[in-house]
Amino acid sequence: MNLKIEEYASLKTMNTMGLESVARYFGRVESLAALQEALVFAKERHLPVIPLGEGSNVVLGESLDALVLLIRLKGREIQESHNGSVLLKVGAGEHWHSLVCWSLEQKFYGLENLALIPGCVGAAPVQNIGAYGVEIKDRFVSLEAVDRQTGESTTLSAEECAFGYRDSVFKNGLMDRVIITSVTLRLSTTLMPELDYGALKEKAEGFAGEGERPTGMDICRAVCAIRREKLPDPQVIGNAGSFFKNPVVSEEHKVALKDKFSDIPAYKVSEGWKLAAGWLIEHCGFKGCLKKDGAGVYDKQALVLVNHGNACGKDVLLLAEEIRVAVKERFSVTLEIEPRIY
Protein backbone atom coordinates (compact mmCIF):
# COMPACT_ATOMS: atom_id res chain seq x y z
CA MET A 1 0.00 0.00 0.00
CA ASN A 2 1.23 3.47 -0.91
CA LEU A 3 -1.53 5.09 1.12
CA LYS A 4 -2.46 4.99 4.79
CA ILE A 5 -6.17 5.53 5.47
CA GLU A 6 -7.40 7.01 8.76
CA GLU A 7 -10.98 6.95 10.01
CA TYR A 8 -12.89 9.83 11.60
CA ALA A 9 -10.04 12.32 11.20
CA SER A 10 -10.33 15.92 12.39
CA LEU A 11 -9.72 18.52 9.67
CA LYS A 12 -9.72 21.56 11.97
CA THR A 13 -6.01 22.24 11.40
CA MET A 14 -6.30 21.49 7.67
CA ASN A 15 -8.53 24.41 6.68
CA THR A 16 -7.55 28.04 7.09
CA MET A 17 -10.95 29.01 8.52
CA GLY A 18 -10.21 26.68 11.44
CA LEU A 19 -13.64 25.06 11.15
CA GLU A 20 -14.13 21.81 13.03
CA SER A 21 -14.84 19.09 10.51
CA VAL A 22 -14.51 15.31 10.71
CA ALA A 23 -13.78 13.15 7.66
CA ARG A 24 -15.10 9.57 7.57
CA TYR A 25 -11.85 8.58 5.83
CA PHE A 26 -8.64 10.54 5.39
CA GLY A 27 -5.37 9.95 3.55
CA ARG A 28 -2.18 11.85 2.72
CA VAL A 29 -1.20 11.56 -0.96
CA GLU A 30 2.51 11.86 -1.78
CA SER A 31 2.68 9.90 -5.04
CA LEU A 32 0.65 9.16 -8.14
CA ALA A 33 0.38 5.53 -7.05
CA ALA A 34 -1.06 6.60 -3.70
CA LEU A 35 -3.63 8.78 -5.44
CA GLN A 36 -4.67 5.94 -7.72
CA GLU A 37 -5.04 3.60 -4.72
CA ALA A 38 -7.14 6.20 -2.95
CA LEU A 39 -9.49 6.49 -5.91
CA VAL A 40 -9.95 2.69 -5.99
CA PHE A 41 -10.64 2.71 -2.23
CA ALA A 42 -13.30 5.39 -2.65
CA LYS A 43 -14.88 3.75 -5.70
CA GLU A 44 -15.24 0.40 -3.93
CA ARG A 45 -17.08 2.11 -1.07
CA HIS A 46 -19.11 4.50 -3.26
CA LEU A 47 -17.54 7.47 -1.49
CA PRO A 48 -17.05 10.99 -2.84
CA VAL A 49 -13.44 12.20 -2.84
CA ILE A 50 -12.50 15.63 -1.48
CA PRO A 51 -8.95 16.80 -2.32
CA LEU A 52 -7.39 19.39 0.00
CA GLY A 53 -4.25 21.45 -0.50
CA GLU A 54 -3.83 24.06 2.20
CA GLY A 55 -7.59 24.20 2.81
CA SER A 56 -7.51 27.91 2.05
CA ASN A 57 -10.52 28.24 -0.23
CA VAL A 58 -13.05 25.87 1.31
CA VAL A 59 -15.88 25.88 3.82
CA LEU A 60 -16.08 22.44 5.40
CA GLY A 61 -19.18 20.89 6.93
CA GLU A 62 -19.03 19.41 10.42
CA SER A 63 -19.19 15.81 9.17
CA LEU A 64 -17.94 14.68 5.76
CA ASP A 65 -19.01 11.20 4.65
CA ALA A 66 -16.19 11.08 2.14
CA LEU A 67 -12.55 10.22 1.55
CA VAL A 68 -10.61 13.43 2.14
CA LEU A 69 -7.16 13.48 0.51
CA LEU A 70 -4.40 15.85 1.56
CA ILE A 71 -2.54 16.37 -1.73
CA ARG A 72 1.21 16.53 -1.13
CA LEU A 73 2.58 15.76 -4.59
CA LYS A 74 5.89 17.64 -4.66
CA GLY A 75 8.53 18.57 -7.22
CA ARG A 76 9.91 21.49 -9.25
CA GLU A 77 11.35 20.60 -12.64
CA ILE A 78 12.84 22.97 -15.23
CA GLN A 79 11.74 21.31 -18.46
CA GLU A 80 13.00 23.89 -20.93
CA SER A 81 15.04 27.09 -20.86
CA HIS A 82 15.78 29.15 -23.96
CA ASN A 83 15.08 32.48 -25.64
CA GLY A 84 14.54 34.20 -22.32
CA SER A 85 11.81 31.90 -21.01
CA VAL A 86 11.62 28.93 -18.69
CA LEU A 87 9.15 26.06 -18.70
CA LEU A 88 8.60 24.98 -15.10
CA LYS A 89 6.65 21.87 -14.05
CA VAL A 90 5.50 21.95 -10.43
CA GLY A 91 3.82 19.31 -8.27
CA ALA A 92 0.25 20.07 -7.18
CA GLY A 93 1.17 19.79 -3.50
CA GLU A 94 3.85 22.49 -3.57
CA HIS A 95 3.06 25.55 -1.43
CA TRP A 96 2.18 28.43 -3.77
CA HIS A 97 3.94 31.31 -2.01
CA SER A 98 7.08 29.20 -1.53
CA LEU A 99 7.08 28.59 -5.28
CA VAL A 100 6.82 32.34 -5.95
CA CYS A 101 9.80 33.07 -3.67
CA TRP A 102 11.86 30.19 -5.08
CA SER A 103 11.21 31.28 -8.67
CA LEU A 104 12.48 34.78 -7.87
CA GLU A 105 15.59 33.34 -6.23
CA GLN A 106 16.23 31.53 -9.53
CA LYS A 107 15.63 34.84 -11.38
CA PHE A 108 12.50 33.46 -13.03
CA TYR A 109 9.89 36.22 -13.26
CA GLY A 110 6.15 36.41 -13.75
CA LEU A 111 4.69 35.23 -10.44
CA GLU A 112 5.75 38.14 -8.21
CA ASN A 113 2.30 39.81 -8.29
CA LEU A 114 0.77 36.55 -7.05
CA ALA A 115 2.86 36.43 -3.87
CA LEU A 116 1.30 35.43 -0.55
CA ILE A 117 -1.84 33.95 -2.10
CA PRO A 118 -2.60 31.04 0.24
CA GLY A 119 -2.89 27.49 -1.00
CA CYS A 120 -1.10 24.89 -3.07
CA VAL A 121 -0.14 24.88 -6.73
CA GLY A 122 -2.84 22.38 -7.71
CA ALA A 123 -5.59 24.72 -6.55
CA ALA A 124 -4.28 27.71 -8.53
CA PRO A 125 -5.75 26.75 -11.95
CA VAL A 126 -9.09 25.72 -10.41
CA GLN A 127 -9.56 29.24 -9.11
CA ASN A 128 -7.52 30.94 -11.83
CA ILE A 129 -5.92 32.83 -8.97
CA GLY A 130 -5.14 36.46 -9.63
CA ALA A 131 -3.93 39.63 -7.95
CA TYR A 132 -2.65 43.08 -8.87
CA GLY A 133 -3.20 42.74 -12.60
CA VAL A 134 -1.94 39.17 -13.11
CA GLU A 135 -3.76 35.84 -13.27
CA ILE A 136 -2.26 32.36 -13.39
CA LYS A 137 -3.72 31.91 -16.88
CA ASP A 138 -1.18 34.54 -18.03
CA ARG A 139 1.67 32.17 -17.09
CA PHE A 140 -0.07 28.85 -17.67
CA VAL A 141 0.99 26.26 -20.26
CA SER A 142 -0.66 22.99 -19.25
CA LEU A 143 -1.45 20.70 -16.34
CA GLU A 144 -1.63 17.00 -15.60
CA ALA A 145 -4.60 15.47 -13.82
CA VAL A 146 -5.96 12.06 -12.89
CA ASP A 147 -9.44 10.96 -13.88
CA ARG A 148 -11.34 10.10 -10.69
CA GLN A 149 -13.23 7.23 -12.31
CA THR A 150 -10.47 5.51 -14.29
CA GLY A 151 -7.33 6.59 -12.41
CA GLU A 152 -5.71 7.46 -15.74
CA SER A 153 -3.58 10.56 -16.24
CA THR A 154 -4.43 13.25 -18.76
CA THR A 155 -2.92 16.56 -19.90
CA LEU A 156 -4.98 19.72 -20.37
CA SER A 157 -3.96 22.86 -22.27
CA ALA A 158 -4.82 26.43 -21.31
CA GLU A 159 -7.64 26.43 -23.83
CA GLU A 160 -9.08 23.22 -22.40
CA CYS A 161 -8.98 24.72 -18.90
CA ALA A 162 -11.41 27.46 -20.06
CA PHE A 163 -10.12 30.09 -17.66
CA GLY A 164 -12.33 33.00 -16.61
CA TYR A 165 -12.48 35.45 -13.71
CA ARG A 166 -11.86 33.18 -10.69
CA ASP A 167 -13.20 30.41 -12.85
CA SER A 168 -12.15 27.41 -14.92
CA VAL A 169 -13.44 24.15 -16.38
CA PHE A 170 -12.71 22.58 -12.97
CA LYS A 171 -15.62 24.55 -11.51
CA ASN A 172 -17.85 23.57 -14.42
CA GLY A 173 -17.59 20.65 -16.87
CA LEU A 174 -14.74 18.89 -15.04
CA MET A 175 -15.93 19.67 -11.51
CA ASP A 176 -15.28 16.61 -9.29
CA ARG A 177 -14.12 14.60 -12.32
CA VAL A 178 -10.33 15.01 -12.10
CA ILE A 179 -7.63 15.72 -9.51
CA ILE A 180 -4.75 17.94 -10.62
CA THR A 181 -1.31 16.42 -10.05
CA SER A 182 1.05 18.99 -11.62
CA VAL A 183 1.03 22.39 -13.32
CA THR A 184 3.42 23.67 -16.00
CA LEU A 185 4.10 27.41 -16.18
CA ARG A 186 6.11 29.59 -18.56
CA LEU A 187 8.18 32.23 -16.77
CA SER A 188 10.64 34.83 -18.06
CA THR A 189 14.31 35.36 -17.31
CA THR A 190 13.72 39.08 -17.84
CA LEU A 191 11.62 41.07 -15.39
CA MET A 192 8.64 42.75 -17.06
CA PRO A 193 6.99 44.43 -14.07
CA GLU A 194 3.21 44.80 -13.82
CA LEU A 195 2.80 47.82 -11.55
CA ASP A 196 -0.41 49.44 -12.74
CA TYR A 197 -2.51 48.32 -9.78
CA GLY A 198 -3.27 51.00 -7.19
CA ALA A 199 -0.51 51.55 -4.68
CA LEU A 200 1.70 48.71 -5.90
CA LYS A 201 4.10 50.90 -7.91
CA GLU A 202 4.69 53.30 -5.03
CA LYS A 203 5.10 50.48 -2.53
CA ALA A 204 7.53 48.59 -4.77
CA GLU A 205 9.60 51.73 -5.41
CA GLY A 206 9.77 52.23 -1.66
CA PHE A 207 11.35 48.80 -1.24
CA ALA A 208 13.74 49.48 -4.15
CA GLY A 209 15.15 52.67 -2.70
CA GLU A 210 15.49 56.14 -4.14
CA GLY A 211 16.36 56.23 -7.84
CA GLU A 212 16.35 52.43 -8.20
CA ARG A 213 14.01 50.33 -10.32
CA PRO A 214 12.09 47.70 -8.33
CA THR A 215 13.41 44.18 -8.67
CA GLY A 216 11.16 41.15 -8.82
CA MET A 217 11.77 40.59 -5.11
CA ASP A 218 10.88 44.25 -4.39
CA ILE A 219 7.55 43.72 -6.14
CA CYS A 220 7.01 40.49 -4.21
CA ARG A 221 7.70 42.29 -0.92
CA ALA A 222 5.36 45.12 -1.91
CA VAL A 223 2.54 42.70 -2.74
CA CYS A 224 3.08 40.88 0.57
CA ALA A 225 3.00 44.16 2.48
CA ILE A 226 -0.24 45.29 0.82
CA ARG A 227 -1.91 41.92 1.37
CA ARG A 228 -0.89 41.86 5.04
CA GLU A 229 -2.39 45.33 5.52
CA LYS A 230 -5.74 44.14 4.14
CA LEU A 231 -6.03 40.46 5.00
CA PRO A 232 -5.80 38.65 8.34
CA ASP A 233 -3.22 35.94 8.99
CA PRO A 234 -5.08 32.58 9.17
CA GLN A 235 -2.72 31.57 11.98
CA VAL A 236 -4.21 34.41 14.05
CA ILE A 237 -7.80 34.68 12.76
CA GLY A 238 -9.41 31.86 10.79
CA ASN A 239 -10.38 32.97 7.28
CA ALA A 240 -10.57 31.78 3.68
CA GLY A 241 -9.40 35.03 2.10
CA SER A 242 -11.86 36.85 -0.15
CA PHE A 243 -15.23 35.21 0.48
CA PHE A 244 -17.15 36.73 -2.44
CA LYS A 245 -16.30 37.42 -6.05
CA ASN A 246 -16.35 41.03 -7.20
CA PRO A 247 -19.62 41.20 -9.15
CA VAL A 248 -19.82 42.41 -12.75
CA VAL A 249 -22.82 44.49 -13.85
CA SER A 250 -24.03 46.06 -17.07
CA GLU A 251 -23.38 49.65 -18.12
CA GLU A 252 -27.04 50.49 -17.39
CA HIS A 253 -26.86 48.99 -13.91
CA LYS A 254 -23.59 50.81 -13.18
CA VAL A 255 -25.08 54.15 -14.21
CA ALA A 256 -28.13 53.58 -12.01
CA LEU A 257 -25.92 52.74 -9.04
CA LYS A 258 -23.70 55.79 -9.65
CA ASP A 259 -26.81 57.98 -9.57
CA LYS A 260 -27.65 56.70 -6.08
CA PHE A 261 -24.13 56.08 -4.73
CA SER A 262 -21.71 58.48 -6.42
CA ASP A 263 -18.63 57.08 -4.67
CA ILE A 264 -19.25 53.41 -5.55
CA PRO A 265 -16.05 51.97 -7.10
CA ALA A 266 -16.55 50.56 -10.61
CA TYR A 267 -13.89 49.28 -13.01
CA LYS A 268 -14.38 48.64 -16.73
CA VAL A 269 -13.80 45.02 -17.77
CA SER A 270 -14.60 43.16 -20.98
CA GLU A 271 -17.86 41.76 -19.57
CA GLY A 272 -19.13 45.11 -18.22
CA TRP A 273 -18.33 46.92 -14.97
CA LYS A 274 -16.72 45.22 -11.99
CA LEU A 275 -17.84 46.41 -8.55
CA ALA A 276 -15.93 46.05 -5.29
CA ALA A 277 -17.79 43.45 -3.25
CA GLY A 278 -16.07 44.62 -0.08
CA TRP A 279 -17.42 48.15 -0.58
CA LEU A 280 -20.96 46.82 -1.05
CA ILE A 281 -20.72 44.70 2.10
CA GLU A 282 -19.22 47.53 4.14
CA HIS A 283 -22.00 49.90 3.05
CA CYS A 284 -24.56 47.38 4.24
CA GLY A 285 -23.05 47.70 7.73
CA PHE A 286 -21.32 44.32 8.05
CA LYS A 287 -17.68 45.39 8.34
CA GLY A 288 -16.35 44.25 11.72
CA CYS A 289 -19.54 42.44 12.73
CA LEU A 290 -19.26 39.46 15.08
CA LYS A 291 -21.90 36.81 15.70
CA LYS A 292 -22.29 34.91 18.97
CA ASP A 293 -21.11 31.71 17.29
CA GLY A 294 -17.76 33.31 16.37
CA ALA A 295 -18.43 33.95 12.69
CA GLY A 296 -17.80 37.52 11.62
CA VAL A 297 -16.54 40.00 9.04
CA TYR A 298 -12.95 41.25 9.24
CA ASP A 299 -12.74 44.78 10.61
CA LYS A 300 -10.14 45.89 8.02
CA GLN A 301 -11.65 44.30 4.89
CA ALA A 302 -15.36 43.53 4.58
CA LEU A 303 -14.70 41.03 1.79
CA VAL A 304 -13.22 38.60 4.32
CA LEU A 305 -15.39 36.43 6.57
CA VAL A 306 -13.61 35.21 9.69
CA ASN A 307 -13.89 32.60 12.42
CA HIS A 308 -12.95 33.88 15.85
CA GLY A 309 -12.64 30.35 17.18
CA ASN A 310 -15.91 28.50 17.62
CA ALA A 311 -17.83 28.87 14.36
CA CYS A 312 -18.74 25.88 12.22
CA GLY A 313 -19.29 25.85 8.48
CA LYS A 314 -23.05 26.32 8.91
CA ASP A 315 -22.49 29.47 10.99
CA VAL A 316 -20.26 31.01 8.33
CA LEU A 317 -22.73 30.21 5.55
CA LEU A 318 -25.64 31.71 7.51
CA LEU A 319 -23.70 34.96 7.84
CA ALA A 320 -22.76 34.83 4.15
CA GLU A 321 -26.42 34.47 3.19
CA GLU A 322 -27.40 37.38 5.45
CA ILE A 323 -24.81 39.51 3.63
CA ARG A 324 -25.99 38.36 0.20
CA VAL A 325 -29.61 39.24 1.01
CA ALA A 326 -28.67 42.71 2.29
CA VAL A 327 -26.51 43.51 -0.76
CA LYS A 328 -29.22 42.29 -3.11
CA GLU A 329 -31.87 44.43 -1.41
CA ARG A 330 -29.77 47.61 -1.35
CA PHE A 331 -27.83 47.41 -4.63
CA SER A 332 -29.75 44.83 -6.73
CA VAL A 333 -26.48 42.91 -7.00
CA THR A 334 -26.12 39.19 -6.35
CA LEU A 335 -22.86 38.22 -4.66
CA GLU A 336 -21.31 34.87 -5.53
CA ILE A 337 -19.44 32.92 -2.86
CA GLU A 338 -15.83 32.23 -3.87
CA PRO A 339 -14.75 29.26 -1.66
CA ARG A 340 -15.87 25.71 -2.39
CA ILE A 341 -18.52 24.50 0.04
CA TYR A 342 -18.49 20.89 1.27
Side-chain angles (χ1 to χ4, degrees):
M1 287 285 290
N2 294 285
L3 180 74
K4 179 183 176 182
I5 300 288
E6 300 177 33
E7 294 190 59
Y8 300 106
S10 172
L11 305 175
K12 185 176 177 68
T13 62
M14 299 180 202
N15 70 99
T16 60
M17 285 213 79
L19 303 171
E20 184 55 80
S21 177
V22 175
R24 177 66 180 86
Y25 295 101
F26 172 81
R28 182 184 176 99
V29 170
E30 298 180 345
S31 68
L32 180 59
L35 176 56
Q36 291 167 329
E37 282 183 12
L39 293 174
V40 171
F41 179 93
K43 192 173 184 179
E44 290 174 345
R45 290 159 180 79
H46 306 288
L47 289 167
V49 175
I50 299 175
L52 282 183
E54 296 290 328
S56 59
N57 200 45
V58 296
V59 178
L60 301 180
E62 292 180 83
S63 179
L64 301 177
D65 188 18
L67 171 60
V68 176
L69 298 176
L70 192 67
I71 306 299
R72 289 297 178 263
L73 297 164
K74 299 297 183 73
R76 302 167 183 166
E77 178 188 349
I78 300 171
Q79 293 194 312
E80 179 185 300
S81 179
H82 71 274
N83 294 332
S85 73
V86 173
L87 211 60
L88 183 64
K89 181 178 179 180
V90 189
E94 290 280 350
H95 184 257
W96 177 261
H97 180 64
S98 297
L99 171 67
V100 174
C101 295
W102 177 84
S103 68
L104 291 171
E105 289 168 0
Q106 311 308 307
K107 300 190 185 306
F108 302 157
Y109 304 106
L111 302 181
E112 50 276 357
N113 289 45
L114 304 178
L116 211 63
I117 293 178
C120 287
V121 168
V126 176
Q127 186 74 357
N128 184 24
I129 60 171
Y132 309 108
V134 176
E135 293 179 321
I136 192 176
K137 72 176 179 62
D138 303 324
R139 312 292 181 245
F140 183 89
V141 175
S142 64
L143 61 76
E144 293 178 337
V146 168
D147 186 290
R148 296 191 188 207
Q149 288 299 313
T150 66
E152 295 179 358
S153 293
T154 186
T155 300
L156 295 175
S157 66
E159 183 178 1
E160 290 170 314
C161 289
F163 293 122
Y165 170 59
R166 303 298 174 269
D167 197 19
S168 70
V169 71
F170 307 105
K171 289 187 168 186
N172 299 287
L174 288 183
M175 186 174 182
D176 296 333
R177 289 178 55 188
V178 299
I179 294 177
I180 295 168
T181 55
S182 71
V183 177
T184 299
L185 305 169
R186 185 174 297 280
L187 304 181
S188 174
T189 55
T190 302
L191 177 63
M192 293 175 280
E194 299 269 0
L195 296 173
D196 292 337
Y197 181 92
L200 181 56
K201 186 173 187 291
E202 181 180 353
K203 184 77 76 171
E205 288 174 347
F207 279 103
E210 189 174 350
E212 298 293 326
R213 290 186 177 181
T215 65
M217 194 59 77
D218 290 330
I219 296 170
C220 175
R221 292 190 186 104
V223 168
C224 290
I226 294 171
R227 290 184 69 87
R228 288 184 177 117
E229 289 169 4
K230 294 183 176 180
L231 302 172
D233 183 347
Q235 299 295 324
V236 180
I237 304 174
N239 74 93
S242 299
F243 204 85
F244 299 98
K245 293 182 181 180
N246 289 319
V248 177
V249 299
S250 67
E251 169 80 19
E252 183 181 15
H253 196 164
K254 187 267 295 187
V255 170
L257 286 172
K258 280 285 189 182
D259 285 343
K260 290 184 179 179
F261 312 97
S262 60
D263 58 338
I264 188 171
Y267 308 94
K268 189 74 176 81
V269 293
S270 58
E271 303 89 350
W273 289 86
K274 184 182 291 186
L275 307 178
W279 188 96
L280 302 176
I281 296 166
E282 181 175 350
H283 284 74
C284 285
F286 286 97
K287 188 175 182 180
C289 83
L290 174 62
K291 300 294 185 178
K292 290 181 180 179
D293 51 43
V297 177
Y298 190 45
D299 58 3
K300 294 181 181 178
Q301 172 52 270
L303 192 56
V304 179
L305 270 58
V306 295
N307 173 19
H308 286 280
N310 300 311
C312 64
K314 181 174 65 176
D315 300 326
V316 173
L317 294 177
L318 283 172
L319 174 57
E321 184 58 22
E322 185 180 344
I323 290 170
R324 292 178 79 244
V325 168
V327 169
K328 179 70 172 178
E329 287 180 350
R330 187 167 191 194
F331 300 105
S332 298
V333 171
T334 300
L335 292 183
E336 185 179 345
I337 291 175
E338 197 167 303
R340 179 74 188 271
I341 299 168
Y342 290 104

